[in-house]
Amino acid sequence: MTIHNSIQRESKGSNKRKEASIRRKFIFGGCVAAIVMCITPLISTFKKTATYQEQYEKAQASNQQAVENNRAIQEEYQRVNDPEYLADVARRDYYYTKSGEIIFVLPEEVEE
């Protein structure tokens, strides 16, 4: 009976070790699955953030260009409201003269 008892004890101990090993494997697998489930949304979030950052930078550049364009238009508007500027443009582009003035159109010099 002693041999039989010792074999039963060894098989019980072996079963306990196998069960513990299986438990450890399940726990390890569960931990790996949990880590993967946590990392996947994190990676997706980083990709979305990069996309949004790129869109933000494009919008900023577009806004800066619009601000500069607006500033140039406002300056042109201010000049158009200036009577001296209008008179200068009329003389230069449309050959407008004041009374008593004579305009001489000289040919442009051609460089050789």
Side-chain angles (χ1 to χ4, degrees), residues 62-100:
S62 177
N63 183 38
Q64 183 63 30
Q65 186 178 10
V67 166
E68 290 172 6
N69 190 24
N70 187 22
R71 187 175 297 131
I73 290 171
Q74 285 178 349
E75 289 174 4
E76 182 68 22
Y77 178 76
Q78 292 297 325
R79 282 184 286 190
V80 169
N81 286 332
D82 184 19
E84 290 180 18
Y85 175 77
L86 290 175
D88 185 43
V89 169
R91 283 192 190 102
R92 181 185 65 222
D93 295 342
Y94 303 107
Y95 304 110
Y96 175 78
T97 61
K98 293 182 182 179
S99 59

PDB file of all heavy atoms in Angstrom, residues 62-100:
ATOM      1  N   SER A  62      -3.851  78.811 -43.874  1.00  0.00           N
ATOM      2  CA  SER A  62      -4.907  79.426 -44.677  1.00  0.00           C
ATOM      3  C   SER A  62      -5.407  80.707 -44.008  1.00  0.00           C
ATOM      4  O   SER A  62      -5.637  81.720 -44.680  1.00  0.00           O
ATOM      5  CB  SER A  62      -6.059  78.437 -44.854  1.00  0.00           C
ATOM      6  OG  SER A  62      -7.110  79.029 -45.550  1.00  0.00           O
ATOM      7  N   ASN A  63      -5.560  80.664 -42.702  1.00  0.00           N
ATOM      8  CA  ASN A  63      -6.005  81.845 -41.955  1.00  0.00           C
ATOM      9  C   ASN A  63      -4.977  82.965 -42.058  1.00  0.00           C
ATOM     10  O   ASN A  63      -5.353  84.129 -42.253  1.00  0.00           O
ATOM     11  CB  ASN A  63      -6.255  81.482 -40.495  1.00  0.00           C
ATOM     12  CG  ASN A  63      -6.785  82.651 -39.703  1.00  0.00           C
ATOM     13  OD1 ASN A  63      -7.572  83.441 -40.196  1.00  0.00           O
ATOM     14  ND2 ASN A  63      -6.334  82.778 -38.471  1.00  0.00           N
ATOM     15  N   GLN A  64      -3.704  82.631 -41.938  1.00  0.00           N
ATOM     16  CA  GLN A  64      -2.652  83.642 -42.028  1.00  0.00           C
ATOM     17  C   GLN A  64      -2.660  84.297 -43.406  1.00  0.00           C
ATOM     18  O   GLN A  64      -2.538  85.511 -43.531  1.00  0.00           O
ATOM     19  CB  GLN A  64      -1.276  83.017 -41.743  1.00  0.00           C
ATOM     20  CG  GLN A  64      -0.139  84.013 -41.742  1.00  0.00           C
ATOM     21  CD  GLN A  64      -0.268  85.045 -40.649  1.00  0.00           C
ATOM     22  OE1 GLN A  64      -0.828  84.784 -39.587  1.00  0.00           O
ATOM     23  NE2 GLN A  64       0.243  86.232 -40.890  1.00  0.00           N
ATOM     24  N   GLN A  65      -2.840  83.489 -44.440  1.00  0.00           N
ATOM     25  CA  GLN A  65      -2.900  84.024 -45.796  1.00  0.00           C
ATOM     26  C   GLN A  65      -4.116  84.941 -45.959  1.00  0.00           C
ATOM     27  O   GLN A  65      -4.030  86.002 -46.576  1.00  0.00           O
ATOM     28  CB  GLN A  65      -2.951  82.889 -46.807  1.00  0.00           C
ATOM     29  CG  GLN A  65      -2.877  83.348 -48.240  1.00  0.00           C
ATOM     30  CD  GLN A  65      -2.873  82.175 -49.208  1.00  0.00           C
ATOM     31  OE1 GLN A  65      -3.108  81.042 -48.818  1.00  0.00           O
ATOM     32  NE2 GLN A  65      -2.617  82.461 -50.464  1.00  0.00           N
ATOM     33  N   ALA A  66      -5.246  84.542 -45.401  1.00  0.00           N
ATOM     34  CA  ALA A  66      -6.454  85.363 -45.479  1.00  0.00           C
ATOM     35  C   ALA A  66      -6.263  86.683 -44.732  1.00  0.00           C
ATOM     36  O   ALA A  66      -6.720  87.739 -45.201  1.00  0.00           O
ATOM     37  CB  ALA A  66      -7.650  84.601 -44.920  1.00  0.00           C
ATOM     38  N   VAL A  67      -5.589  86.648 -43.593  1.00  0.00           N
ATOM     39  CA  VAL A  67      -5.338  87.873 -42.823  1.00  0.00           C
ATOM     40  C   VAL A  67      -4.454  88.817 -43.631  1.00  0.00           C
ATOM     41  O   VAL A  67      -4.710  90.028 -43.696  1.00  0.00           O
ATOM     42  CB  VAL A  67      -4.699  87.530 -41.456  1.00  0.00           C
ATOM     43  CG1 VAL A  67      -4.124  88.763 -40.793  1.00  0.00           C
ATOM     44  CG2 VAL A  67      -5.720  86.868 -40.552  1.00  0.00           C
ATOM     45  N   GLU A  68      -3.406  88.269 -44.257  1.00  0.00           N
ATOM     46  CA  GLU A  68      -2.521  89.113 -45.063  1.00  0.00           C
ATOM     47  C   GLU A  68      -3.268  89.696 -46.265  1.00  0.00           C
ATOM     48  O   GLU A  68      -3.083  90.866 -46.614  1.00  0.00           O
ATOM     49  CB  GLU A  68      -1.305  88.303 -45.522  1.00  0.00           C
ATOM     50  CG  GLU A  68      -0.370  87.956 -44.390  1.00  0.00           C
ATOM     51  CD  GLU A  68       0.733  86.997 -44.801  1.00  0.00           C
ATOM     52  OE1 GLU A  68       0.851  86.680 -46.013  1.00  0.00           O
ATOM     53  OE2 GLU A  68       1.483  86.566 -43.928  1.00  0.00           O
ATOM     54  N   ASN A  69      -4.096  88.885 -46.895  1.00  0.00           N
ATOM     55  CA  ASN A  69      -4.892  89.355 -48.026  1.00  0.00           C
ATOM     56  C   ASN A  69      -5.849  90.463 -47.583  1.00  0.00           C
ATOM     57  O   ASN A  69      -5.997  91.481 -48.263  1.00  0.00           O
ATOM     58  CB  ASN A  69      -5.658  88.186 -48.635  1.00  0.00           C
ATOM     59  CG  ASN A  69      -6.321  88.530 -49.937  1.00  0.00           C
ATOM     60  OD1 ASN A  69      -5.894  89.449 -50.633  1.00  0.00           O
ATOM     61  ND2 ASN A  69      -7.368  87.809 -50.272  1.00  0.00           N
ATOM     62  N   ASN A  70      -6.480  90.276 -46.438  1.00  0.00           N
ATOM     63  CA  ASN A  70      -7.391  91.278 -45.893  1.00  0.00           C
ATOM     64  C   ASN A  70      -6.649  92.580 -45.596  1.00  0.00           C
ATOM     65  O   ASN A  70      -7.155  93.674 -45.885  1.00  0.00           O
ATOM     66  CB  ASN A  70      -8.063  90.735 -44.626  1.00  0.00           C
ATOM     67  CG  ASN A  70      -9.146  91.653 -44.114  1.00  0.00           C
ATOM     68  OD1 ASN A  70      -9.688  92.461 -44.848  1.00  0.00           O
ATOM     69  ND2 ASN A  70      -9.456  91.519 -42.834  1.00  0.00           N
ATOM     70  N   ARG A  71      -5.459  92.466 -45.036  1.00  0.00           N
ATOM     71  CA  ARG A  71      -4.663  93.652 -44.720  1.00  0.00           C
ATOM     72  C   ARG A  71      -4.321  94.419 -46.004  1.00  0.00           C
ATOM     73  O   ARG A  71      -4.418  95.651 -46.060  1.00  0.00           O
ATOM     74  CB  ARG A  71      -3.381  93.248 -43.988  1.00  0.00           C
ATOM     75  CG  ARG A  71      -2.582  94.426 -43.469  1.00  0.00           C
ATOM     76  CD  ARG A  71      -1.388  93.984 -42.639  1.00  0.00           C
ATOM     77  NE  ARG A  71      -1.853  93.270 -41.449  1.00  0.00           N
ATOM     78  CZ  ARG A  71      -1.392  92.092 -41.051  1.00  0.00           C
ATOM     79  NH1 ARG A  71      -0.463  91.476 -41.733  1.00  0.00           N
ATOM     80  NH2 ARG A  71      -1.859  91.528 -39.962  1.00  0.00           N
ATOM     81  N   ALA A  72      -3.934  93.680 -47.056  1.00  0.00           N
ATOM     82  CA  ALA A  72      -3.601  94.336 -48.333  1.00  0.00           C
ATOM     83  C   ALA A  72      -4.823  95.021 -48.924  1.00  0.00           C
ATOM     84  O   ALA A  72      -4.720  96.139 -49.451  1.00  0.00           O
ATOM     85  CB  ALA A  72      -3.044  93.303 -49.307  1.00  0.00           C
ATOM     86  N   ILE A  73      -5.970  94.386 -48.831  1.00  0.00           N
ATOM     87  CA  ILE A  73      -7.200  94.983 -49.360  1.00  0.00           C
ATOM     88  C   ILE A  73      -7.575  96.230 -48.572  1.00  0.00           C
ATOM     89  O   ILE A  73      -8.005  97.240 -49.149  1.00  0.00           O
ATOM     90  CB  ILE A  73      -8.342  93.946 -49.356  1.00  0.00           C
ATOM     91  CG1 ILE A  73      -8.071  92.888 -50.415  1.00  0.00           C
ATOM     92  CG2 ILE A  73      -9.689  94.607 -49.587  1.00  0.00           C
ATOM     93  CD1 ILE A  73      -9.011  91.706 -50.362  1.00  0.00           C
ATOM     94  N   GLN A  74      -7.397  96.199 -47.254  1.00  0.00           N
ATOM     95  CA  GLN A  74      -7.698  97.383 -46.445  1.00  0.00           C
ATOM     96  C   GLN A  74      -6.767  98.541 -46.796  1.00  0.00           C
ATOM     97  O   GLN A  74      -7.201  99.704 -46.861  1.00  0.00           O
ATOM     98  CB  GLN A  74      -7.589  97.048 -44.962  1.00  0.00           C
ATOM     99  CG  GLN A  74      -8.746  96.238 -44.443  1.00  0.00           C
ATOM    100  CD  GLN A  74      -8.590  95.881 -42.968  1.00  0.00           C
ATOM    101  OE1 GLN A  74      -7.523  96.069 -42.380  1.00  0.00           O
ATOM    102  NE2 GLN A  74      -9.653  95.357 -42.379  1.00  0.00           N
ATOM    103  N   GLU A  75      -5.484  98.241 -47.035  1.00  0.00           N
ATOM    104  CA  GLU A  75      -4.544  99.291 -47.423  1.00  0.00           C
ATOM    105  C   GLU A  75      -4.931  99.884 -48.773  1.00  0.00           C
ATOM    106  O   GLU A  75      -4.884 101.104 -48.968  1.00  0.00           O
ATOM    107  CB  GLU A  75      -3.118  98.735 -47.473  1.00  0.00           C
ATOM    108  CG  GLU A  75      -2.537  98.430 -46.119  1.00  0.00           C
ATOM    109  CD  GLU A  75      -1.190  97.737 -46.205  1.00  0.00           C
ATOM    110  OE1 GLU A  75      -0.657  97.556 -47.328  1.00  0.00           O
ATOM    111  OE2 GLU A  75      -0.664  97.365 -45.142  1.00  0.00           O
ATOM    112  N   GLU A  76      -5.308  99.023 -49.722  1.00  0.00           N
ATOM    113  CA  GLU A  76      -5.753  99.505 -51.033  1.00  0.00           C
ATOM    114  C   GLU A  76      -7.006 100.372 -50.893  1.00  0.00           C
ATOM    115  O   GLU A  76      -7.129 101.406 -51.545  1.00  0.00           O
ATOM    116  CB  GLU A  76      -6.023  98.320 -51.964  1.00  0.00           C
ATOM    117  CG  GLU A  76      -6.443  98.703 -53.353  1.00  0.00           C
ATOM    118  CD  GLU A  76      -5.343  99.362 -54.154  1.00  0.00           C
ATOM    119  OE1 GLU A  76      -4.151  99.181 -53.827  1.00  0.00           O
ATOM    120  OE2 GLU A  76      -5.675 100.076 -55.108  1.00  0.00           O
ATOM    121  N   TYR A  77      -7.898  99.961 -50.020  1.00  0.00           N
ATOM    122  CA  TYR A  77      -9.120 100.739 -49.775  1.00  0.00           C
ATOM    123  C   TYR A  77      -8.774 102.123 -49.224  1.00  0.00           C
ATOM    124  O   TYR A  77      -9.361 103.132 -49.647  1.00  0.00           O
ATOM    125  CB  TYR A  77     -10.024  99.982 -48.803  1.00  0.00           C
ATOM    126  CG  TYR A  77     -11.286 100.715 -48.441  1.00  0.00           C
ATOM    127  CD1 TYR A  77     -12.358 100.788 -49.328  1.00  0.00           C
ATOM    128  CD2 TYR A  77     -11.411 101.351 -47.202  1.00  0.00           C
ATOM    129  CE1 TYR A  77     -13.516 101.472 -49.002  1.00  0.00           C
ATOM    130  CE2 TYR A  77     -12.559 102.031 -46.860  1.00  0.00           C
ATOM    131  CZ  TYR A  77     -13.605 102.088 -47.761  1.00  0.00           C
ATOM    132  OH  TYR A  77     -14.749 102.775 -47.433  1.00  0.00           O
ATOM    133  N   GLN A  78      -7.825 102.173 -48.298  1.00  0.00           N
ATOM    134  CA  GLN A  78      -7.414 103.457 -47.731  1.00  0.00           C
ATOM    135  C   GLN A  78      -6.801 104.350 -48.817  1.00  0.00           C
ATOM    136  O   GLN A  78      -7.052 105.552 -48.858  1.00  0.00           O
ATOM    137  CB  GLN A  78      -6.402 103.252 -46.600  1.00  0.00           C
ATOM    138  CG  GLN A  78      -6.970 102.586 -45.370  1.00  0.00           C
ATOM    139  CD  GLN A  78      -8.054 103.429 -44.712  1.00  0.00           C
ATOM    140  OE1 GLN A  78      -8.004 104.646 -44.700  1.00  0.00           O
ATOM    141  NE2 GLN A  78      -9.060 102.743 -44.177  1.00  0.00           N
ATOM    142  N   ARG A  79      -5.995 103.742 -49.707  1.00  0.00           N
ATOM    143  CA  ARG A  79      -5.382 104.542 -50.778  1.00  0.00           C
ATOM    144  C   ARG A  79      -6.433 105.050 -51.762  1.00  0.00           C
ATOM    145  O   ARG A  79      -6.336 106.174 -52.253  1.00  0.00           O
ATOM    146  CB  ARG A  79      -4.338 103.714 -51.538  1.00  0.00           C
ATOM    147  CG  ARG A  79      -3.037 103.600 -50.765  1.00  0.00           C
ATOM    148  CD  ARG A  79      -2.046 102.880 -51.585  1.00  0.00           C
ATOM    149  NE  ARG A  79      -2.469 101.466 -51.559  1.00  0.00           N
ATOM    150  CZ  ARG A  79      -1.773 100.454 -51.998  1.00  0.00           C
ATOM    151  NH1 ARG A  79      -0.613 100.663 -52.568  1.00  0.00           N
ATOM    152  NH2 ARG A  79      -2.214  99.238 -51.906  1.00  0.00           N
ATOM    153  N   VAL A  80      -7.411 104.227 -52.069  1.00  0.00           N
ATOM    154  CA  VAL A  80      -8.448 104.638 -53.017  1.00  0.00           C
ATOM    155  C   VAL A  80      -9.251 105.804 -52.466  1.00  0.00           C
ATOM    156  O   VAL A  80      -9.718 106.656 -53.222  1.00  0.00           O
ATOM    157  CB  VAL A  80      -9.359 103.434 -53.360  1.00  0.00           C
ATOM    158  CG1 VAL A  80     -10.599 103.874 -54.111  1.00  0.00           C
ATOM    159  CG2 VAL A  80      -8.602 102.420 -54.185  1.00  0.00           C
ATOM    160  N   ASN A  81      -9.389 105.894 -51.172  1.00  0.00           N
ATOM    161  CA  ASN A  81     -10.122 107.006 -50.568  1.00  0.00           C
ATOM    162  C   ASN A  81      -9.294 108.289 -50.495  1.00  0.00           C
ATOM    163  O   ASN A  81      -9.833 109.341 -50.150  1.00  0.00           O
ATOM    164  CB  ASN A  81     -10.608 106.624 -49.170  1.00  0.00           C
ATOM    165  CG  ASN A  81     -11.776 105.676 -49.226  1.00  0.00           C
ATOM    166  OD1 ASN A  81     -12.547 105.686 -50.180  1.00  0.00           O
ATOM    167  ND2 ASN A  81     -11.925 104.848 -48.208  1.00  0.00           N
ATOM    168  N   ASP A  82      -8.008 108.221 -50.830  1.00  0.00           N
ATOM    169  CA  ASP A  82      -7.130 109.392 -50.794  1.00  0.00           C
ATOM    170  C   ASP A  82      -7.200 110.123 -52.143  1.00  0.00           C
ATOM    171  O   ASP A  82      -6.856 109.558 -53.178  1.00  0.00           O
ATOM    172  CB  ASP A  82      -5.695 108.951 -50.506  1.00  0.00           C
ATOM    173  CG  ASP A  82      -4.744 110.118 -50.364  1.00  0.00           C
ATOM    174  OD1 ASP A  82      -5.218 111.247 -50.132  1.00  0.00           O
ATOM    175  OD2 ASP A  82      -3.518 109.883 -50.481  1.00  0.00           O
ATOM    176  N   PRO A  83      -7.642 111.394 -52.164  1.00  0.00           N
ATOM    177  CA  PRO A  83      -7.771 112.126 -53.434  1.00  0.00           C
ATOM    178  C   PRO A  83      -6.437 112.295 -54.168  1.00  0.00           C
ATOM    179  O   PRO A  83      -6.390 112.251 -55.391  1.00  0.00           O
ATOM    180  CB  PRO A  83      -8.326 113.487 -53.032  1.00  0.00           C
ATOM    181  CG  PRO A  83      -8.850 113.325 -51.656  1.00  0.00           C
ATOM    182  CD  PRO A  83      -8.143 112.167 -51.045  1.00  0.00           C
ATOM    183  N   GLU A  84      -5.357 112.461 -53.442  1.00  0.00           N
ATOM    184  CA  GLU A  84      -4.048 112.620 -54.085  1.00  0.00           C
ATOM    185  C   GLU A  84      -3.640 111.338 -54.809  1.00  0.00           C
ATOM    186  O   GLU A  84      -3.095 111.382 -55.911  1.00  0.00           O
ATOM    187  CB  GLU A  84      -2.988 112.993 -53.046  1.00  0.00           C
ATOM    188  CG  GLU A  84      -3.156 114.389 -52.488  1.00  0.00           C
ATOM    189  CD  GLU A  84      -2.092 114.711 -51.458  1.00  0.00           C
ATOM    190  OE1 GLU A  84      -1.062 114.010 -51.434  1.00  0.00           O
ATOM    191  OE2 GLU A  84      -2.302 115.659 -50.690  1.00  0.00           O
ATOM    192  N   TYR A  85      -3.904 110.210 -54.215  1.00  0.00           N
ATOM    193  CA  TYR A  85      -3.580 108.924 -54.850  1.00  0.00           C
ATOM    194  C   TYR A  85      -4.404 108.750 -56.127  1.00  0.00           C
ATOM    195  O   TYR A  85      -3.888 108.331 -57.166  1.00  0.00           O
ATOM    196  CB  TYR A  85      -3.843 107.767 -53.887  1.00  0.00           C
ATOM    197  CG  TYR A  85      -3.653 106.396 -54.510  1.00  0.00           C
ATOM    198  CD1 TYR A  85      -2.385 105.887 -54.723  1.00  0.00           C
ATOM    199  CD2 TYR A  85      -4.748 105.620 -54.892  1.00  0.00           C
ATOM    200  CE1 TYR A  85      -2.197 104.637 -55.295  1.00  0.00           C
ATOM    201  CE2 TYR A  85      -4.583 104.376 -55.471  1.00  0.00           C
ATOM    202  CZ  TYR A  85      -3.311 103.879 -55.666  1.00  0.00           C
ATOM    203  OH  TYR A  85      -3.131 102.650 -56.238  1.00  0.00           O
ATOM    204  N   LEU A  86      -5.688 109.067 -56.052  1.00  0.00           N
ATOM    205  CA  LEU A  86      -6.546 108.951 -57.230  1.00  0.00           C
ATOM    206  C   LEU A  86      -6.069 109.868 -58.353  1.00  0.00           C
ATOM    207  O   LEU A  86      -6.065 109.480 -59.526  1.00  0.00           O
ATOM    208  CB  LEU A  86      -8.001 109.250 -56.873  1.00  0.00           C
ATOM    209  CG  LEU A  86      -8.695 108.208 -55.999  1.00  0.00           C
ATOM    210  CD1 LEU A  86     -10.087 108.682 -55.625  1.00  0.00           C
ATOM    211  CD2 LEU A  86      -8.755 106.869 -56.714  1.00  0.00           C
ATOM    212  N   ALA A  87      -5.654 111.083 -58.006  1.00  0.00           N
ATOM    213  CA  ALA A  87      -5.158 112.018 -59.016  1.00  0.00           C
ATOM    214  C   ALA A  87      -3.871 111.472 -59.641  1.00  0.00           C
ATOM    215  O   ALA A  87      -3.680 111.562 -60.864  1.00  0.00           O
ATOM    216  CB  ALA A  87      -4.916 113.388 -58.396  1.00  0.00           C
ATOM    217  N   ASP A  88      -3.010 110.893 -58.833  1.00  0.00           N
ATOM    218  CA  ASP A  88      -1.758 110.318 -59.336  1.00  0.00           C
ATOM    219  C   ASP A  88      -2.038 109.155 -60.296  1.00  0.00           C
ATOM    220  O   ASP A  88      -1.437 109.060 -61.365  1.00  0.00           O
ATOM    221  CB  ASP A  88      -0.890 109.850 -58.171  1.00  0.00           C
ATOM    222  CG  ASP A  88       0.458 109.357 -58.622  1.00  0.00           C
ATOM    223  OD1 ASP A  88       1.074 110.009 -59.489  1.00  0.00           O
ATOM    224  OD2 ASP A  88       0.887 108.304 -58.101  1.00  0.00           O
ATOM    225  N   VAL A  89      -2.972 108.299 -59.940  1.00  0.00           N
ATOM    226  CA  VAL A  89      -3.335 107.168 -60.801  1.00  0.00           C
ATOM    227  C   VAL A  89      -3.955 107.681 -62.097  1.00  0.00           C
ATOM    228  O   VAL A  89      -3.645 107.183 -63.189  1.00  0.00           O
ATOM    229  CB  VAL A  89      -4.296 106.200 -60.073  1.00  0.00           C
ATOM    230  CG1 VAL A  89      -4.881 105.176 -61.034  1.00  0.00           C
ATOM    231  CG2 VAL A  89      -3.593 105.500 -58.937  1.00  0.00           C
ATOM    232  N   ALA A  90      -4.806 108.681 -62.015  1.00  0.00           N
ATOM    233  CA  ALA A  90      -5.444 109.242 -63.209  1.00  0.00           C
ATOM    234  C   ALA A  90      -4.395 109.836 -64.139  1.00  0.00           C
ATOM    235  O   ALA A  90      -4.465 109.656 -65.359  1.00  0.00           O
ATOM    236  CB  ALA A  90      -6.476 110.293 -62.814  1.00  0.00           C
ATOM    237  N   ARG A  91      -3.405 110.515 -63.607  1.00  0.00           N
ATOM    238  CA  ARG A  91      -2.338 111.086 -64.436  1.00  0.00           C
ATOM    239  C   ARG A  91      -1.477 109.991 -65.055  1.00  0.00           C
ATOM    240  O   ARG A  91      -1.142 110.040 -66.230  1.00  0.00           O
ATOM    241  CB  ARG A  91      -1.448 112.004 -63.598  1.00  0.00           C
ATOM    242  CG  ARG A  91      -2.055 113.329 -63.316  1.00  0.00           C
ATOM    243  CD  ARG A  91      -1.004 114.282 -62.730  1.00  0.00           C
ATOM    244  NE  ARG A  91      -1.664 115.468 -62.247  1.00  0.00           N
ATOM    245  CZ  ARG A  91      -1.931 115.719 -60.979  1.00  0.00           C
ATOM    246  NH1 ARG A  91      -1.566 114.882 -60.054  1.00  0.00           N
ATOM    247  NH2 ARG A  91      -2.563 116.810 -60.632  1.00  0.00           N
ATOM    248  N   ARG A  92      -1.097 109.037 -64.259  1.00  0.00           N
ATOM    249  CA  ARG A  92      -0.175 107.992 -64.717  1.00  0.00           C
ATOM    250  C   ARG A  92      -0.842 107.036 -65.712  1.00  0.00           C
ATOM    251  O   ARG A  92      -0.297 106.747 -66.769  1.00  0.00           O
ATOM    252  CB  ARG A  92       0.344 107.202 -63.508  1.00  0.00           C
ATOM    253  CG  ARG A  92       1.334 106.117 -63.878  1.00  0.00           C
ATOM    254  CD  ARG A  92       1.723 105.276 -62.685  1.00  0.00           C
ATOM    255  NE  ARG A  92       0.526 104.550 -62.224  1.00  0.00           N
ATOM    256  CZ  ARG A  92       0.192 104.389 -60.956  1.00  0.00           C
ATOM    257  NH1 ARG A  92       0.942 104.873 -60.003  1.00  0.00           N
ATOM    258  NH2 ARG A  92      -0.895 103.727 -60.620  1.00  0.00           N
ATOM    259  N   ASP A  93      -2.019 106.548 -65.395  1.00  0.00           N
ATOM    260  CA  ASP A  93      -2.631 105.500 -66.205  1.00  0.00           C
ATOM    261  C   ASP A  93      -3.556 106.037 -67.295  1.00  0.00           C
ATOM    262  O   ASP A  93      -3.695 105.417 -68.352  1.00  0.00           O
ATOM    263  CB  ASP A  93      -3.418 104.533 -65.315  1.00  0.00           C
ATOM    264  CG  ASP A  93      -2.505 103.766 -64.355  1.00  0.00           C
ATOM    265  OD1 ASP A  93      -1.284 103.721 -64.605  1.00  0.00           O
ATOM    266  OD2 ASP A  93      -3.032 103.220 -63.366  1.00  0.00           O
ATOM    267  N   TYR A  94      -4.194 107.166 -67.049  1.00  0.00           N
ATOM    268  CA  TYR A  94      -5.206 107.660 -67.996  1.00  0.00           C
ATOM    269  C   TYR A  94      -4.831 108.998 -68.621  1.00  0.00           C
ATOM    270  O   TYR A  94      -5.635 109.614 -69.308  1.00  0.00           O
ATOM    271  CB  TYR A  94      -6.568 107.763 -67.291  1.00  0.00           C
ATOM    272  CG  TYR A  94      -6.998 106.435 -66.709  1.00  0.00           C
ATOM    273  CD1 TYR A  94      -6.970 106.203 -65.339  1.00  0.00           C
ATOM    274  CD2 TYR A  94      -7.412 105.404 -67.540  1.00  0.00           C
ATOM    275  CE1 TYR A  94      -7.350 104.981 -64.816  1.00  0.00           C
ATOM    276  CE2 TYR A  94      -7.786 104.173 -67.024  1.00  0.00           C
ATOM    277  CZ  TYR A  94      -7.761 103.974 -65.664  1.00  0.00           C
ATOM    278  OH  TYR A  94      -8.126 102.770 -65.155  1.00  0.00           O
ATOM    279  N   TYR A  95      -3.605 109.448 -68.381  1.00  0.00           N
ATOM    280  CA  TYR A  95      -3.085 110.694 -68.947  1.00  0.00           C
ATOM    281  C   TYR A  95      -3.985 111.886 -68.635  1.00  0.00           C
ATOM    282  O   TYR A  95      -4.203 112.773 -69.449  1.00  0.00           O
ATOM    283  CB  TYR A  95      -2.878 110.567 -70.468  1.00  0.00           C
ATOM    284  CG  TYR A  95      -1.972 109.416 -70.821  1.00  0.00           C
ATOM    285  CD1 TYR A  95      -2.470 108.288 -71.450  1.00  0.00           C
ATOM    286  CD2 TYR A  95      -0.618 109.472 -70.495  1.00  0.00           C
ATOM    287  CE1 TYR A  95      -1.649 107.236 -71.769  1.00  0.00           C
ATOM    288  CE2 TYR A  95       0.220 108.413 -70.812  1.00  0.00           C
ATOM    289  CZ  TYR A  95      -0.305 107.296 -71.451  1.00  0.00           C
ATOM    290  OH  TYR A  95       0.516 106.251 -71.748  1.00  0.00           O
ATOM    291  N   TYR A  96      -4.509 111.901 -67.435  1.00  0.00           N
ATOM    292  CA  TYR A  96      -5.337 113.016 -66.978  1.00  0.00           C
ATOM    293  C   TYR A  96      -4.409 114.192 -66.684  1.00  0.00           C
ATOM    294  O   TYR A  96      -3.343 114.036 -66.097  1.00  0.00           O
ATOM    295  CB  TYR A  96      -6.100 112.610 -65.725  1.00  0.00           C
ATOM    296  CG  TYR A  96      -6.903 113.715 -65.093  1.00  0.00           C
ATOM    297  CD1 TYR A  96      -8.122 114.093 -65.615  1.00  0.00           C
ATOM    298  CD2 TYR A  96      -6.434 114.382 -63.962  1.00  0.00           C
ATOM    299  CE1 TYR A  96      -8.862 115.105 -65.042  1.00  0.00           C
ATOM    300  CE2 TYR A  96      -7.156 115.393 -63.381  1.00  0.00           C
ATOM    301  CZ  TYR A  96      -8.370 115.756 -63.927  1.00  0.00           C
ATOM    302  OH  TYR A  96      -9.091 116.766 -63.359  1.00  0.00           O
ATOM    303  N   THR A  97      -4.822 115.368 -67.078  1.00  0.00           N
ATOM    304  CA  THR A  97      -3.997 116.557 -66.827  1.00  0.00           C
ATOM    305  C   THR A  97      -4.798 117.592 -66.072  1.00  0.00           C
ATOM    306  O   THR A  97      -6.018 117.685 -66.190  1.00  0.00           O
ATOM    307  CB  THR A  97      -3.523 117.191 -68.151  1.00  0.00           C
ATOM    308  OG1 THR A  97      -4.650 117.585 -68.903  1.00  0.00           O
ATOM    309  CG2 THR A  97      -2.669 116.232 -68.926  1.00  0.00           C
ATOM    310  N   LYS A  98      -4.068 118.364 -65.333  1.00  0.00           N
ATOM    311  CA  LYS A  98      -4.675 119.532 -64.708  1.00  0.00           C
ATOM    312  C   LYS A  98      -4.735 120.621 -65.772  1.00  0.00           C
ATOM    313  O   LYS A  98      -4.050 120.547 -66.793  1.00  0.00           O
ATOM    314  CB  LYS A  98      -3.829 120.010 -63.523  1.00  0.00           C
ATOM    315  CG  LYS A  98      -3.798 119.061 -62.359  1.00  0.00           C
ATOM    316  CD  LYS A  98      -2.971 119.660 -61.246  1.00  0.00           C
ATOM    317  CE  LYS A  98      -2.873 118.732 -60.058  1.00  0.00           C
ATOM    318  NZ  LYS A  98      -2.056 119.292 -58.991  1.00  0.00           N
ATOM    319  N   SER A  99      -5.533 121.619 -65.483  1.00  0.00           N
ATOM    320  CA  SER A  99      -5.608 122.693 -66.475  1.00  0.00           C
ATOM    321  C   SER A  99      -4.247 123.372 -66.571  1.00  0.00           C
ATOM    322  O   SER A  99      -3.609 123.673 -65.561  1.00  0.00           O
ATOM    323  CB  SER A  99      -6.690 123.696 -66.106  1.00  0.00           C
ATOM    324  OG  SER A  99      -6.411 124.258 -64.841  1.00  0.00           O
ATOM    325  N   GLY A 100      -3.777 123.546 -67.816  1.00  0.00           N
ATOM    326  CA  GLY A 100      -2.492 124.200 -68.042  1.00  0.00           C
ATOM    327  C   GLY A 100      -1.331 123.228 -68.121  1.00  0.00           C
ATOM    328  O   GLY A 100      -0.210 123.631 -68.406  1.00  0.00           O
TER     329      GLY A 100
END
